Amino acid sequence: MLIDSHCHLDRLDLASYNGSLDAALDAARQRGVGHFLCIGVSAGNTAAVKALAQRYEDVDCSVGVHPLDLEPGAEPALGWLLRELDAPGVVAIGETGLDYHYEPEAAELQQQSFRLHLEAARICGKPVIVHTRAARADTLALLREASLPQAGVLHCFTEDWDMAKAALDLGFYISLSGIVTFRNAEALRDVARRVPADRLLVETDSPYLAPIPHRGKPNLPQYVREVAEYVAELRGGGFEALAAQTTENFKRLFPLARVKS
C-alpha cells in the first residue's frame, strides 16, 4: 500500500473525472494508494478539509495556515488553532513554515505564524508539516528554537543534503514529491538516495507539481505511485519495499491517522 502523505483534495482539477472526487480517489486506490492526508492551508479551507476527513474513511487532514496565505492583521490565533486541531480526523498541524521566494517582505509575519504553529504543536503533541522555500537558515533556527518533543516533516523537500541532514538531526522526516523526477533536480536526487529508510515519505502535493511523465498537467493523488517508483529506483530497492516502508513511516509519524493495516 502507498500513502499520499500530502495532497490538497479540495483543490484538485477534476475535469478528467467529470468533477467527481470519488472517481479521482478511486483511480488512486486502484493504483495501490490506500490513504490520503488532505492539507489545511488557511482558515478559509479548514472546514473543507475537515469535511473530507469525515466523508472518507481513508482520508485524514491537517489544520494550519500556509505562509503565503497569511494576511497582516488576520494572523491565526493560538486558541483558534488549538480548537480546530481538536476535531476528529485532524492528525497534524500545517502546513506552516516560511516562504521568502514570493514574499520576502513578509518574513516577520511568517516567522510569527510559524512560531505560533510550533507552540500549538508543543501543546497538543501533534506532528507539524513544514513548508520551506528560500528560507533555510530561519526555518532551521525556528525548529531548533522550538525543540519539539515529537517529530514532524519537511514536506515537498527541495533543498540539498546539508539541510536534509540538519532536519533529520532535529528528528524530522523528509517527504519527496514529483519534483524529484524533474531534470534539474540532481541535488534532490542525492537527498533521495541518502535519507534513512525509516525517515522517508512520498507525496504528490496535488494539484501541483505533477511528476514526469505528467509534468505540466494537473497533479492527482494517483501519481504518488510515479514518485514512489522513481524514488525506489534511485535507492536501488524494489517498489513494494519502498511502499511498505513509507507506509510504516507515515503511521509512525501520524499515529492518529486511520490507516488500515
Side-chain angles (χ1 to χ4, degrees), residues 85-176:
L85 287 165
D86 196 39
V90 180
V91 303
I93 301 170
E95 59 189 286
T96 180
L98 304 174
D99 191 323
Y100 300 165
H101 179 76
Y102 290 110
E103 296 183 1
E105 72 282 358
E108 183 176 351
L109 177 65
Q110 291 185 17
Q111 290 171 27
Q112 291 172 356
S113 176
F114 193 17
R115 282 191 173 97
L116 181 143
H117 284 76
L118 294 171
E119 178 61 17
R122 176 185 301 282
I123 293 170
C124 75
K126 293 182 178 181
V128 62
I129 299 166
V130 178
H131 169 104
T132 179
R133 186 176 186 188
R136 174 190 302 207
D138 285 350
T139 297
L140 291 173
L142 290 181
L143 292 177
R144 292 188 181 106
E145 175 188 291
S147 189
L148 295 176
Q150 75 274 19
V153 58
L154 269 60
H155 102 92
C156 193
F157 193 79
T158 57
E159 301 278 353
D160 60 16
W161 174 246
D162 287 343
M163 184 169 185
K165 179 63 165 58
L168 291 165
D169 288 345
L170 290 170
F172 275 70
Y173 289 58
I174 301 295
S175 182
L176 299 175

Side-chain angles (χ1 to χ4, degrees), residues 191-258:
V191 171
R193 296 183 186 101
R194 298 171 71 175
V195 173
D198 63 352
R199 298 284 200 87
L200 180 65
L201 297 177
V202 288
E203 65 174 85
T204 59
D205 202 11
S206 53
Y208 317 107
L209 305 169
I212 291 172
H214 308 289
R215 190 175 184 186
K217 302 176 182 178
N219 202 359
L220 292 163
Q222 63 180 291
Y223 298 154
V224 73
R225 185 172 184 113
E226 277 80 351
V227 177
E229 288 175 342
Y230 190 88
V231 172
E233 184 175 354
L234 284 176
R235 294 173 67 88
F239 163 75
E240 296 294 340
L242 185 129
Q245 180 69 68
T246 53
T247 293
E248 287 305 308
N249 295 347
F250 180 92
K251 291 162 65 176
R252 188 186 323 112
L253 177 58
F254 302 106
L256 296 178
R258 301 164 296 175

Side-chain angles (χ1 to χ4, degrees), residues 58-81:
D58 54 0
V59 174
D60 287 304
C61 73
S62 68
V63 168
V65 180
H66 190 289
L68 298 180
D69 281 270
L70 293 166
E71 296 181 11
E75 302 91 325
L78 182 61
W80 169 83
L81 188 54

